[in-house]
Amino acid sequence: MSARGQAFGIDIGGSGVKGALVDLSTGELAHERIKIATPQPSTPNAVAETVAKLVAQADWDGPVGLTLPSVVVNGIARTAANIDKSWIDTDARNLFSLALGGREVVVLNDADAAGMAEDRYGAARDDDGLVMLLTFGTGIGSALMYRGTLVPNTEFGHIMVDGKEAEHRAASSVKERKKLSYKEWAAQVTKVLVTLENLLWPDVFVAGGGISRDAEHWIPLLGNRTPVVAAHLRNTAGIVGAAMAVESGIAP
Ligand code: BGC
């Protein structure tokens, strides 16, 4: 199967490998998302096998865009958060291409993909200034876009905020682990946002990750000055951004 104006995206996370064909004129999925549990341990070879299974299940024979929860430079994973440490220094582009019969693939950071998708189709589509997306999950992912151009691999989840890494302070996993109320957690998120807005002065923050579904419970409690809007694409942003990356042929 192959079609004009469509591209295939796969979002690889700690618990699931999710993929679909994306209609790039709308940013919508062309069919129901396919999800396969991430193999444990999530080693490069095991994940590559899962990716091949997913693509076969979708009956897709064209190029594929893929995300990893890693810094990705020239197709090589440089870090590995929430995925097996053996990813570090793996040539992910080559690995996935081989697993998919030698076809063209593009690999990028998961938050970068989500940011590109929200910037073009979602919460930031009407903003032509500086957009910063933060995904709140097990860690904090970040994406920085200026007038539609991504600055890749920003990794603001690891910035030090008051003596502690941002993601150790305000990831949604911290809220769960410490059983924080929305009010308590929002105070931690505020500290992170203030640090970032004082350094980068974005026009808007887009809040992504699972907890963005409950945005009405906590966005109003934030005390920073830059507007914060909830992501629109929710659990498809990574897939859509991966498809955008392979369509444009541009990847960090
Ligand atoms: C990683 C990022 C990733 C984010 C979300 C962070 O811990 O360093 O590369 O984008 O988690 O998965």
Side-chain angles (χ1 to χ4, degrees):
M1 188 166 61
S2 194
R4 275 183 97 81
Q6 294 187 318
F8 204 89
I10 298 184
D11 191 21
I12 298 170
S15 58
V17 178
K18 294 145 280 182
L21 188 61
V22 178
D23 179 345
L24 292 163
S25 63
T26 60
E28 278 165 19
L29 304 192
H31 58 84
E32 207 178 316
R33 177 178 90 125
I34 301 171
K35 180 173 178 180
I36 303 179
T38 305
Q40 301 301 337
S42 50
T43 56
N45 285 336
V47 172
E49 263 176 45
T50 305
V51 161
K53 207 194 289 177
L54 193 154
V55 171
Q57 212 169 305
D59 194 18
W60 174 252
D61 57 16
V64 175
L66 302 114
T67 77
L68 282 175
S70 310
V71 168
V72 183
V73 183
N74 290 328
I76 298 175
R78 291 297 185 195
T79 62
N82 316 315
I83 195 157
D84 199 81
K85 295 291 170 236
S86 58
W87 278 95
I88 295 173
D89 293 339
T90 294
D91 187 336
R93 183 166 55 202
N94 192 38
L95 173 80
F96 290 128
S97 176
L98 286 177
L100 295 170
R103 76 181 84 184
E104 185 199 336
V105 304
V106 160
V107 187
L108 75 166
N109 171 265
D110 55 358
D112 281 348
M116 281 166 51
E118 291 291 343
D119 196 44
R120 191 188 295 175
Y121 306 105
R125 71 179 177 280
D126 296 327
D127 198 300
D128 57 4
L130 185 65
V131 174
M132 186 183 290
L133 168 117
L134 296 171
T135 59
F136 295 91
T138 311
I140 295 181
S142 66
L144 189 66
M145 275 95 24
Y146 184 59
R147 300 193 173 166
T149 301
L150 171 77
V151 180
N153 293 312
T154 46
E155 294 292 312
F156 291 126
H158 300 288
I159 201 166
M160 293 302 278
V161 175
D162 224 350
K164 209 176 197 177
E165 268 186 58
E167 72 173 26
H168 294 157
R169 182 178 280 292
S172 61
S173 60
V174 175
K175 178 179 184 304
E176 277 161 45
R177 199 178 59 245
K178 296 193 173 168
K179 300 193 174 28
L180 301 180
S181 64
Y182 278 115
K183 194 172 167 209
E184 290 165 326
W185 181 66
Q188 298 304 317
V189 176
T190 296
K191 282 193 180 183
V192 171
L193 298 183
V194 168
T195 302
L196 290 171
E197 68 191 1
N198 285 346
L199 293 172
L200 290 141
W201 291 80
D203 293 289
V204 65
F205 284 111
V206 178
I211 200 157
S212 66
R213 265 177 238 133
D214 305 322
E216 75 276 13
H217 295 301
W218 59 275
I219 288 185
L221 304 177
L222 297 171
N224 67 300
R225 67 169 180 270
T226 308
V228 182
V229 295
H232 286 183
L233 299 173
R234 309 283 155 90
N235 59 10
T236 66
I239 296 173
V240 174
M244 286 168 69
V246 74
E247 184 238 12
S248 64
I250 299 167

